[in-house]
Amino acid sequence: MMYDQARAQQPPDKVRGSTERRAPGPEPLLTSGERDRLALRLQEAVNNFAGSPLEALEEAEGTFDEVTAQLMSALAEHRRALHEGWQGHDPETQSNELRQTMRQYREITQRLLRT
């Protein structure tokens, strides 16, 4: 099997075929620009592995660390916003808002469990 460098350089979330649309769903935790930048950084590390394996591994590890830090920051911000939305409110008068917040907690937690 031949190594397809052009295909390997595409971001992992790239959908086959430019006419296909992404299914509707929750907003990504990182912007598409950040995801693309980090995917490219990781792919460069993979591409450089044969010539400089230790440097490539260090770059891959650094990319992993940056991704996890950005995801943790995004999750913390999402949690803060959700918490502010319900903390201190009267459950009787705002049951619809509380239900919506519960749905959001469920959706984000389920996304994390599927990862």
Side-chain angles (χ1 to χ4, degrees):
M1 184 166 155
M2 296 276 302
Y3 177 73
D4 184 351
Q5 186 173 4
R7 183 174 180 205
Q9 290 178 345
Q10 291 183 352
D13 63 346
K14 196 71 150 182
V15 178
R16 291 183 194 230
S18 59
T19 58
E20 290 185 36
R21 296 179 61 144
R22 203 172 129 200
E27 285 294 315
L29 293 170
L30 302 178
T31 67
S32 62
E34 276 301 298
R35 288 192 317 268
D36 290 348
R37 183 184 69 77
L38 292 164
L40 180 60
R41 183 176 166 192
L42 179 60
Q43 191 56 55
E44 288 172 354
V46 170
N47 291 344
N48 293 330
F49 182 79
S52 304
L54 291 177
E55 288 87 0
L57 287 171
E58 288 172 354
E59 184 63 22
E61 181 179 59
T63 305
F64 177 84
D65 291 344
E66 186 175 348
V67 167
T68 56
Q70 287 192 22
L71 287 173
M72 291 298 293
S73 177
L75 287 168
E77 176 58 27
H78 196 70
R79 183 206 178 276
R80 185 198 59 74
L82 285 172
H83 185 79
E84 284 181 1
W86 68 267
Q87 186 65 28
H89 290 259
D90 180 10
E92 298 300 320
T93 61
Q94 301 191 3
S95 63
N96 196 36
E97 289 87 357
L98 294 173
R99 191 174 296 111
Q100 179 64 25
T101 301
M102 175 58 82
R103 186 175 301 124
Q104 291 175 20
Y105 275 122
R106 183 187 67 210
E107 288 172 3
I108 192 74
T109 303
Q110 287 175 337
R111 281 176 62 195
L112 291 169
L113 290 172
R114 284 191 300 266
T115 305

